[in-house]
Every structure is written in structure tokens, then in C-alpha cells.
Amino acid sequence: MRILGIETSCDETACAVVENGTRVLSNVIASQIDMHKKTGGVVPEVAAREHILKIIPVIKEALEQADLDWKDIDGIAAVPGPGLISALLTGTLTASTLALVKEKPLIPVHHILGHIYGNWCERTDVDFKFPILILTVSGGHNDLVLMKNHGEFELIGQSRDDAAGEAFDKVAKLLGLGYPGGPIIQKVAREGDKNAFDFPKAKLGSRTFDYSFSGLKTAVLYAVQEKYEKEFNPEKLNSSFVCDVAASFQKTVAETLVDQLENATEKYSPKEIHIAGGVSANLALREEAEKRLLKFKVPIRYPVNIAFCTDNAAMIASCGYFLHLKDPNKYKNWQNIQPNADFTF
Ligand code: KG4
Ligand code: ZN
């Protein structure tokens, strides 16, 4: 079965075709990163206009790259939310229109559940065992999810304030490094001393698997302000200071993310541990997870390609396939997908 996935929840206009939930036949992404670099982050109105311009060419390109026609497509998956409402509108409206005109089933996919299926993309050789404990961590969300089967997800922890990716982006801005923050911080951190600063980890108590990154962000701000005696000017920060802050910050984020993953693994005894979302591309996080979770003797997996960590439509198509497989009758109605910034699972 071939599903065409559409993703427009933030700043990527993406379309992909995936066969049987794992085989990626095409994966097209029109990124707006260069545009948002100028403003140091995403301006929703600008993102929404760009989606409108790109959505049709991106869908055509995905079909062309897969060398397929509409008759070869068995269903459409798109994201009602969460995300920027004006951005979601383009993807959902386009998907609904196509489902109506081409008479295809239409599968709404929660953006975070989509990220979870980034781990299925291009992984045709593995039969994952449930339950799976998943840390899905991106710019907009920071969740711990227990997946008991396809379509059976339990949210067991989340960030109470910023997501880790958002903290990467804000700290990078503070250090004058640009947007998006994660990849740049990872790069400059290689030149820094990760023990140079002892940044705080939020203490939320032993009864929760939640996260908090606002205190860490403020601690980085204070370190920067102290260096320049409260005169905030990223241009003046010297490079060894920036590298040390980046390395210490990255280490603290990785440890914090893995702390809760370790606690939740002890409680839920999953058969696998998956890490997904944009921040799962981070090598310090992967190293920390490998080191600390080795003792549980369960497979630890990340998407096979960085393109399936950050926003993409292959993960949406993959999730759509497995949801449809479970309950095909649910997805016959093209009207069943409406943009909803607060969409829950
Ligand atoms: O999943 P994603 O593309 O979009 C959202 O759903 O938010 O994640 C984007 C986030 C950004 O905050 C970006 O800084 C972060 O993922 N990111 C990284 C890395 N690559 C992307 N964070 C840390 N290290 C990376 N290598
Ligand atoms: Zn995302």
C-alpha cells in the first residue's frame, strides 16, 4: 500500500510517498530555513505564505521522484496539528481537496506521532517489539511516550516549558550563532570544554517524567551577561567562551533528556528505546543515551537518516499507513481532517 504524506506544520513544506509504512519512494522537502535565518526564527505569517507557494510543486515533485501517478496512491496522510495554525491550514486543505477529487482515504496524523514513525522510515529489515519507550524531542515538543502497539500511545512525560530544541535555538541566538540552533551548537561544542560551566538541571521530583529547560536557558543568559557585565552584545563574545558555553549547555541538555529516559525505562521495562524528532540528530544526546541505557540491554534506535529526524513527510506517510492498517474504515471521509493547533493523541 502506498501512502502520500503531507507535512506543513511549521517551516518545511514536505511531501513523500512511502510503501507499506517503511519503504520511502520519495521524500521532498522545501525548507524555509534560509528565509527564517534573517529573523532568527519562524514568523508564522511568512511561513504560511511560503507553504501556499510551495505545496503544489512539492507534491508534484514527490510523485515524479517516486515515478508514480495518482492511480498508484492508495491514501493520503496529513497533519491537522499541533503546529502553526496558518501553516497547518495549507497542508490540511490541500490534502482534503486531493482526497475528495482523487477519491482516496484521508488519514489525520498527529505531528509528534509522525516523528515517532521517523524510526520506521527506510527500516525494512527490523520487526520492532512492543512496548517501545520513545523520547520525541524537537523544537516544538519534548515528550516521553509509551507505545504499546501501532495506534496505542500513552504520554508519560512532557516539557513544562520550553522543548529542548527550542532551548538550543534560543541559546544559539543568545550566543550570536544563528538559526536553527541545534546543528550550530553541536558544531561549535566540539571545540569547547563541556565541563567549563556547571549549568543546572531542573529538579521536578521523582514522581514525574516531565522536563523543564527554562532554568537552564536563564543560567546560560546569566553566564553571558556576567561575562560582559550585563552589556548584552553577542558580537563581542569571544570564540572560546562561546564554544565552552555551547559544550556545557549541550551536555546538560543531553543528561537531562537521558535522566528521565532512564527513570522511565526502569519503571516501564520497554523492549526497545527510540529517540525521534529534530534533536535526535544530536550526537552528544545519542552518546549519552548509549552510555547510560546500555545496562537495560534493549535496542536503542534513532532514525536511520537525519532527514527522518527533522520535519519531513515520509514519517507522516509511514504513521498514516500503520493507522490505516489498524482501522481502514475510519479514514473514508475527506472531511475528517481540520487544522487544529492543539490536536492531541
Ligand atoms: O522536528 P523538528 O524539525 O521541528 C519541530 O517539530 O520542531 O525539530 C527542529 C529542532 C530545532 O529546534 C533544531 O535546533 C533542533 O531540532 N535540531 C537539533 C539538531 N538538529 C536539529 N538539536 C540539536 N542537535 C542537532 N544536531
Ligand atoms: Zn517536528
Side-chain angles (χ1 to χ4, degrees):
M1 185 177 195
R2 295 189 197 100
I3 302 288
L4 180 132
I6 294 175
E7 153 65 41
T8 64
S9 65
C10 188
D11 59 345
E12 326 278 358
T13 318
C15 182
V17 182
V18 177
E19 193 168 67
N20 296 336
T22 56
R23 198 164 158 243
V24 180
L25 303 179
S26 63
N27 189 27
V28 179
I29 302 173
S31 172
Q32 303 177 2
I33 282 181
D34 286 343
M35 184 173 289
H36 300 307
K37 267 183 182 159
K38 292 177 204 146
T39 41
V42 179
V43 178
E45 171 69 16
V46 175
R49 284 171 186 236
E50 197 61 16
H51 284 308
I52 294 169
L53 295 176
K54 293 283 160 59
I55 188 76
I56 299 297
V58 163
I59 293 172
K60 282 177 104 174
E61 175 82 22
L63 284 168
E64 267 169 40
Q65 280 189 17
D67 200 16
L68 296 171
D69 206 335
W70 276 106
K71 67 175 179 349
D72 309 311
I73 300 295
D74 303 295
I76 300 171
V79 178
L84 304 171
I85 195 75
S86 52
L88 294 164
L89 199 59
T90 303
T92 49
L93 190 65
T94 309
S96 305
T97 309
L98 287 168
L100 172 69
V101 174
K102 306 288 183 188
E103 298 182 2
K104 308 284 179 191
L106 181 59
I107 312 138
V109 169
H110 189 282
H111 181 76
I112 301 306
L113 300 190
H115 272 299
I116 287 175
Y117 281 86
N119 263 308
W120 266 259
C121 293
E122 284 297 349
R123 191 118 57 173
T124 43
D125 54 336
V126 215
D127 183 17
F128 294 158
K129 302 279 179 287
F130 297 104
I132 306 173
L133 179 66
I134 302 147
L135 168 68
T136 164
V137 58
S138 64
H141 286 265
N142 200 126
D143 298 332
L144 264 183
V145 176
L146 189 68
M147 181 178 187
K148 294 166 191 162
N149 208 329
H150 291 295
E152 290 176 40
F153 304 94
E154 187 189 338
L155 180 66
I156 59 170
Q158 61 190 325
S159 179
R160 294 188 184 172
D161 38 59
D162 291 350
E166 193 178 351
F168 267 100
D169 294 338
K170 287 181 179 160
V171 165
K173 194 169 182 178
L174 201 61
L175 296 172
L177 293 171
Y179 173 87
I184 316 169
I185 288 199
Q186 174 167 298
K187 191 165 163 234
V188 303
R190 279 190 215 122
E191 313 297 324
D193 172 6
K194 64 182 179 185
N195 298 314
F197 293 86
D198 188 16
F199 290 132
K201 289 197 230 166
K203 290 195 176 50
L204 303 176
S206 59
R207 276 179 297 176
T208 177
F209 296 110
D210 282 354
Y211 291 96
S212 166
F213 289 101
S214 60
L216 169 61
K217 212 180 55 188
T218 307
V220 175
L221 174 68
Y222 286 162
V224 170
Q225 284 179 336
E226 196 184 313
K227 173 128 178 98
Y228 286 101
E229 295 161 339
K230 307 220 159 95
E231 182 196 347
F232 174 66
N233 182 359
E235 309 278 299
K236 284 172 68 183
L237 298 176
N238 72 44
S239 69
S240 72
F241 173 81
V242 167
C243 295
D244 286 351
V245 170
S248 306
F249 163 78
Q250 179 176 255
K251 179 190 100 168
T252 311
V253 173
E255 286 180 359
T256 307
L257 290 172
V258 176
D259 284 350
Q260 291 295 47
L261 204 46
E262 188 177 9
N263 295 339
T265 305
E266 259 156 27
K267 176 163 180 194
Y268 292 100
S269 304
K271 295 229 169 62
E272 306 217 354
I273 298 169
H274 292 190
I275 306 183
V279 182
S280 69
N282 188 270
L283 296 178
L285 170 61
R286 291 181 179 199
E287 273 167 29
E288 185 71 15
E290 302 278 353
K291 187 175 80 188
R292 304 248 309 272
L293 307 175
L294 185 71
K295 62 184 177 187
F296 295 110
K297 297 190 171 60
V298 295
I300 303 167
R301 305 188 201 272
Y302 329 93
V304 295
N305 188 317
I306 289 198
F308 305 133
C309 294
T310 45
D311 285 350
N312 67 90
M315 66 186 195
I316 305 302
S318 171
C319 182
Y321 167 81
F322 286 105
L323 294 179
H324 185 269
L325 196 66
K326 229 178 146 87
D327 191 357
N329 289 329
K330 208 169 157 185
Y331 304 109
K332 288 186 174 150
N333 186 352
W334 63 270
Q335 288 174 311
N336 71 2
I337 181 162
Q338 300 292 329
N340 176 0
D342 304 318
F343 193 52
T344 51
F345 61 86

